[in-house]
Amino acid sequence: MLNYDQPIGRAKPEPLHAAVTAGFSVLDLVRLLWERKVAIVSAALICACIAVAIGKSLTPKYTASAQLYVDPRELQLVDRELTPRAQDVSGLSMVVESQSRLITSNNVLLQVIRNTDLVKDPEFGGGAATRGIFASLLGLFGIEPKVTADEQKQIEMNALDSLGRHINVKKTDRTFIVDIDVWSYDPAKAAMLANAVSRAYLAESKQSQATAARRATSDLSGRLKELQQRLRNAEDGLATYKAQNNFVGSQDNQISDQQLSASNQRLAAARALTLDAQAKFDQIEASRRGSTDPGAIPEALQSPTIANLRSQYADAKKRQAELQGELGPRHPALRQIEQQVDDLRRTIKEEIDRYALSAKNDLTRARDYEGSLNKALDVQKRQSVQMSQASVRLRELEREVDASRDVYQSFLKRSRETEEQETLNTSSARVIGDATIPQRRTFPPAMSLLAMIGFMFGGLAAAAWAIAASQLAHGADPIRPRVQPKEDAAPERQAVIATAKQPVTPRPKPRPAVGLIEKPIIAELQESDVMRTLGGILTGGNIADVTRFGWPTLRTGASQSAFSTTMWEMCAALANRTNPEGVIVVAVIGTDADHDRSVVALNIALTAARRGARVLMIDADGASHALSNKVAHFGKSEPSRFGWLNVGSKAARAVNTANGIMILPTIQGSAAKAGEAIRKAVAQARSAGGYDLVILDGPPMPWGTAERKLLDVADGLVAVLPAERDINDCMEGIITALGGAQRKLVGVVLNELQPTAASHQHDKQYA
């Protein structure tokens, strides 16, 4: 506890820098251990001897290793394998992992137990270890008691459990190599078991493939009879349906289709004959009705009878013409020859009529033949439609027969292939390194290593015991805290550090009684923690950046600096003490209204923002407005959440920065109105819950009624003390001015930065 009625520390009247560093004295620790060196070395030697003795008493274990090459890409002996082959890298790796697990499976280990007769080995729970007292006595006389099946099974299970603990299978990364490590108390037995495990695994792998092929063959053979009967039934149904529906001929050319095609051809020929007969008859009729010679038709010209008659008719006409010139019209010879001409003409006409009648008969016969062919074709068409409808079911039956035949043939072929695979070994796993008898034990380690480990632990235990005994004997930590002032520190700082080690002495000058409060956290803001920029040149854009204000700000990589760590611890402690889940309000105060206090407040906000906190910074300095002046031209960038806070008709606006800090400028007006607006802003921030930390830049001293109301709103106060002034006088002035609010003082920042007044003028020059 500190009594702020007394000075914080003052060894000289010169200005001081308060900094206290405490730690452990390594020299005192070394001195204490050197005084106990004999005991520590003795304890270390004793522990080394004990470790060697324990190592000698332990039964040595020997480990033998056999190497297997497990290639997941099995041999391609047949075209179709039982299981698909994995080709991608992940699939191959999974296959090798599965084979590694198969090595330690019960089937493989039980085969090893039976092959090596481990049920009689005492190391694996067999032999005399499983017998009772009576059975052991009988064994001395050469009498072996009968073992039941259950007992034999239990013995095998015990040996299986023991053998599983003796085996370690590991797979080398990115390879197909599997190492089988087997340990035993007998080196020869370890090598024998490792080789037995590898052989049993290969035999089990081959047996599993044969078993799988045999099971597949049995399943396929069991299905063959059913598939054969199904195919036979389908074929019988197809044949019966063909017979019932008169499907005769090949599948692609039915007899009904052939008949229909032939009928179409005959009907076309008949129609041609009918047309020819009709044309002939029409020509003859036209010749008979016309004035043309009826004998001029092609049929008459081709007939020899008509040709003979026409020759006689021509001769008669010639004779008639001769007689008409010689004889009179009533001469009997002329009358006779005229009668002969008329008879020949009538005979020719009768012959032409016979040709016309023949053409008419031919036309009638052709028409009758065409009609009969039409009727027959209609009947065949109806039959063809019926056959087409029946062929739908026929094709369905044929598809069923084809499908049944394909399935049966594939099953039959696959059954023959799997039957042949029973005798084939497609596994490419092989032993690439037989286990040899190990020459060195694997446990316990070498005696030199055991001695070294025992010596080290013994020495450490003795040293810890010496430190604890010294602490208990003196009632305090024998390693006394020491203050190591920096060699390059100023005389004022060394005086403060030295004073921190001494009891606080009252000053000659009386001070008002303030009471005892908890000691605040002290932090230092040094030049090495910050960087400086030219605000007038770098400021620009629509988004504010606090690192471009022209003020010294924390370096980007200084989030783990002493100042950042101390301020973050101060905020965490304040949150735990006030409201762990609510908004924390911290007011940064100082002796004067200057830029230095605003610089420190800005760096505190920057520290919290870089650690992920949501920070609202409010300018509570109604005199200098240093922070507001920096963000004045950003006032219209984003409306504030606190836009309802206004003085007159001008609404207040908060400025969002690129550094995760929301800055609320000061509100123009009287101190009372500005303070009321700030209190409303803090109240809204607490109710809305959008921020983790609210930092008030001010209010500056001296404090009036409005400023003290702001101090009442704050959860904690951080005092900024300039390094170039008397720290104790400044601190006492702040405590005196705080009065009852001094208990909210949670931190003190020693500002060791150069004054910002000069840099401010420098920025104006460049602006």
Side-chain angles (χ1 to χ4, degrees):
M1 304 295 289
L2 293 180
N3 186 350
Y4 283 100
D5 187 36
Q6 304 297 335
I8 294 178
R10 187 169 183 176
K12 295 181 181 181
E14 295 80 10
L16 301 179
H17 291 252
V20 179
T21 58
F24 294 103
S25 176
V26 180
L27 185 59
D28 291 344
L29 176 62
V30 173
R31 186 182 299 110
L32 176 62
L33 296 179
W34 181 256
E35 292 175 355
R36 304 289 193 276
K37 61 181 180 297
V38 177
I40 294 174
V41 173
S42 300
L45 292 176
I46 292 174
C47 290
C49 295
I50 294 174
V52 172
I54 293 175
K56 290 290 185 181
S57 63
L58 295 176
T59 304
K61 295 180 180 179
Y62 298 90
T63 302
S65 298
Q67 287 185 333
L68 288 176
Y69 177 74
V70 182
D71 192 348
R73 300 164 298 182
E74 298 180 351
L75 301 177
Q76 187 74 26
L77 301 180
V78 293
D79 293 337
R80 301 171 63 188
E81 298 291 341
L82 289 176
T83 56
R85 300 176 183 273
Q87 298 297 333
D88 59 303
V89 177
S90 59
L92 296 177
S93 179
M94 291 176 61
V95 172
V96 178
E97 292 288 347
S98 301
Q99 295 298 319
S100 301
R101 295 293 301 273
L102 180 63
I103 295 175
T104 56
S105 62
N106 291 346
N107 291 340
V108 175
L109 297 185
L110 285 175
Q111 188 65 32
V112 173
I113 292 173
R114 297 187 183 100
N115 293 339
T116 58
D117 202 12
L118 288 183
V119 294
K120 298 180 181 180
D121 194 334
E123 183 179 349
F124 295 92
T130 59
R131 300 179 182 178
I133 299 177
F134 182 72
S136 300
L137 293 177
L138 292 178
L140 296 176
F141 296 98
I143 301 175
E144 293 292 338
K146 186 178 181 180
V147 180
T148 62
D150 294 339
E151 292 178 350
Q152 182 67 24
K153 184 177 181 180
Q154 184 61 36
I155 294 174
E156 286 186 352
M157 291 300 102
N158 294 337
L160 177 64
D161 185 57
S162 299
L163 182 59
R165 292 193 299 268
H166 283 66
I167 296 177
N168 180 30
V169 178
K170 55 186 178 181
K171 170 185 170 294
T172 306
D173 293 339
R174 304 178 66 85
T175 63
F176 297 155
I177 305 301
V178 177
D179 296 328
I180 304 175
D181 297 336
V182 182
W183 66 269
S184 176
Y185 299 117
D186 185 2
K189 186 190 298 181
M192 181 268 295
L193 290 177
N195 293 326
V197 170
S198 61
R199 289 193 298 269
Y201 161 72
L202 296 178
E204 176 64 23
S205 178
K206 180 180 179 180
Q207 181 65 26
S208 63
Q209 290 180 356
T211 302
R214 189 179 303 109
R215 183 173 61 252
T217 302
S218 177
D219 295 340
L220 292 174
S221 300
R223 290 279 296 166
L224 282 177
K225 293 182 179 180
E226 180 182 351
L227 294 175
Q228 185 179 13
Q229 185 62 35
R230 182 187 300 175
L231 176 60
R232 184 178 293 110
N233 294 338
E235 290 177 344
D236 292 342
L238 177 62
T240 303
Y241 187 79
K242 282 185 175 181
Q244 291 176 352
N245 292 273
N246 197 22
F247 282 99
V248 181
S250 61
Q251 181 178 2
D252 298 330
N253 192 8
Q254 299 291 339
I255 292 180
S256 60
D257 296 336
Q258 297 176 3
Q259 292 177 352
L260 183 61
S261 177
S263 297
N264 281 327
Q265 294 177 359
R266 287 195 299 270
L267 179 60
R271 286 177 178 175
L273 291 176
T274 301
L275 293 175
D276 184 54
Q278 182 69 41
K280 184 187 296 184
F281 178 74
D282 292 341
Q283 184 179 13
I284 293 174
E285 288 294 326
S287 299
R288 291 175 61 189
R289 288 192 298 269
S291 58
T292 58
D293 186 7
I297 60 176
E299 287 78 5
L301 294 176
Q302 294 176 2
S303 175
T305 301
I306 293 178
N308 188 21
L309 290 176
R310 289 182 67 85
S311 176
Q312 293 178 12
Y313 178 75
D315 292 339
K317 287 289 288 183
K318 181 178 179 182
R319 179 64 180 163
Q320 183 183 7
E322 292 176 354
L323 291 177
Q324 285 179 351
E326 295 177 359
L327 300 178
R330 296 183 178 272
H331 192 276
L334 181 60
R335 290 292 186 97
Q336 184 179 4
I337 198 65
E338 290 179 352
Q339 185 65 31
Q340 184 180 359
V341 169
D342 292 336
D343 292 338
L344 288 173
R345 184 183 295 114
R346 186 174 56 253
T347 302
I348 291 173
K349 183 177 180 302
E350 290 177 355
E351 189 69 23
I352 295 300
D353 291 340
R354 283 195 298 272
Y355 274 110
L357 181 60
S358 176
K360 183 178 181 180
N361 292 335
D362 291 340
L363 177 60
T364 302
R365 185 173 59 252
R367 288 177 177 175
D368 294 340
Y369 181 65
E370 182 182 355
S372 63
L373 287 179
N374 276 327
K375 293 180 181 179
L377 183 62
D378 292 338
V379 173
Q380 290 179 356
K381 286 181 178 179
R382 288 193 296 270
Q383 292 178 354
S384 177
V385 171
Q386 294 175 358
M387 294 295 290
S388 298
Q389 294 176 352
S391 63
V392 175
R393 175 60 180 168
L394 176 65
R395 287 191 294 271
E396 182 179 354
L397 294 176
E398 289 175 348
R399 287 194 296 269
E400 292 181 359
V401 171
D402 293 339
S404 300
R405 183 181 296 109
D406 293 340
V407 173
Y408 175 72
Q409 290 177 353
S410 70
F411 267 69
L412 181 62
K413 181 179 179 181
R414 190 59 173 159
S415 176
R416 297 296 181 267
E417 289 178 352
T418 54
E419 185 177 359
E420 293 300 327
Q421 288 184 21
E422 294 183 21
T423 58
L424 299 177
N425 183 17
T426 60
S427 175
S428 58
R430 61 184 184 274
V431 179
I432 61 174
D434 291 327
T436 58
I437 299 176
Q439 303 298 323
R440 295 183 180 181
R441 63 188 181 190
T442 56
F443 181 84
M447 294 298 106
S448 59
L449 180 60
L450 289 177
M452 187 182 302
I453 294 174
F455 186 87
M456 181 180 63
F457 278 99
L460 292 177
W465 173 83
I467 295 174
S470 178
Q471 183 179 8
L472 294 175
H474 293 84
D477 191 351
I479 309 173
R480 296 181 297 275
R482 284 178 171 259
V483 177
Q484 300 294 337
K486 298 179 181 178
E487 295 180 358
D488 56 346
E492 296 85 357
R493 179 174 303 281
Q494 297 180 7
V496 172
I497 296 173
T499 306
K501 298 167 49 181
Q502 301 174 359
V504 178
T505 58
R507 293 169 58 91
K509 183 179 180 180
R511 300 289 182 182
V514 183
L516 297 177
I517 64 173
E518 186 177 354
K519 180 180 178 181
I521 299 176
I522 301 176
E524 299 176 80
L525 183 59
Q526 302 176 350
E527 285 289 341
S528 59
D529 297 331
V530 299
M531 63 178 180
R532 295 180 181 270
T533 57
L534 299 179
I537 294 177
L538 299 178
T539 302
N542 296 325
I543 300 178
D545 188 348
V546 299
T547 62
R548 300 184 179 184
F549 284 177
W551 288 350
T553 54
L554 288 175
R555 298 180 182 273
T556 304
S559 58
Q560 302 297 329
S561 63
F563 175 77
S564 299
T565 304
T566 304
M567 296 311 300
W568 184 253
E569 291 176 354
M570 181 269 293
C571 293
L574 182 59
N576 294 331
R577 191 174 68 182
T578 57
N579 188 5
E581 298 180 357
V583 181
I584 307 169
V585 181
V586 178
V588 181
I589 59 177
T591 56
D592 298 318
D594 54 9
H595 294 77
D596 295 337
R597 184 203 65 245
S598 299
V599 169
V600 174
L602 182 63
N603 282 291
I604 294 175
L606 191 58
T607 297
R610 287 179 178 176
R611 289 180 178 263
R614 297 167 296 179
V615 183
L616 172 63
M617 191 172 181
I618 302 176
D619 188 359
D621 189 348
S624 62
H625 313 297
L627 184 60
S628 299
N629 294 335
K630 290 294 183 181
V631 296
H633 61 287
F634 295 102
K636 297 182 180 180
S637 61
E638 180 181 352
S640 171
R641 292 182 174 179
F642 316 103
W644 53 271
L645 299 174
N646 57 62
V647 177
S649 62
K650 185 177 181 180
R653 289 176 174 270
V655 178
N656 189 13
T657 67
N659 313 94
I661 303 173
M662 184 74 74
I663 299 178
L664 184 62
T666 184
I667 298 175
Q668 301 296 333
S670 62
K673 291 183 178 180
E676 181 64 22
I678 293 174
R679 290 197 300 274
K680 289 183 180 180
V682 173
Q684 185 177 2
R686 283 176 169 169
S687 61
Y691 298 99
D692 301 316
L693 178 63
V694 177
I695 297 178
L696 301 180
D697 181 16
M701 295 178 64
W703 297 310
T705 304
E707 286 79 5
R708 290 190 179 275
K709 289 182 180 180
L710 292 180
L711 297 180
D712 295 337
V713 172
D715 297 321
L717 306 176
V718 177
V720 179
L721 304 181
E724 70 275 4
R725 297 175 59 182
D726 191 302
I727 298 175
N728 289 322
D729 289 342
C730 294
M731 192 66 196
E732 290 176 6
I734 292 175
I735 292 175
T736 303
L738 286 174
Q742 62 178 309
R743 294 186 177 276
K744 293 186 177 182
L745 189 63
V746 295
V748 177
V749 178
L750 302 180
N751 185 11
E752 299 183 4
L753 303 179
Q754 298 177 2
T756 59
S759 61
H760 180 67
Q761 297 297 331
H762 193 261
D763 292 344
K764 282 187 175 182
Q765 175 184 353
Y766 282 95

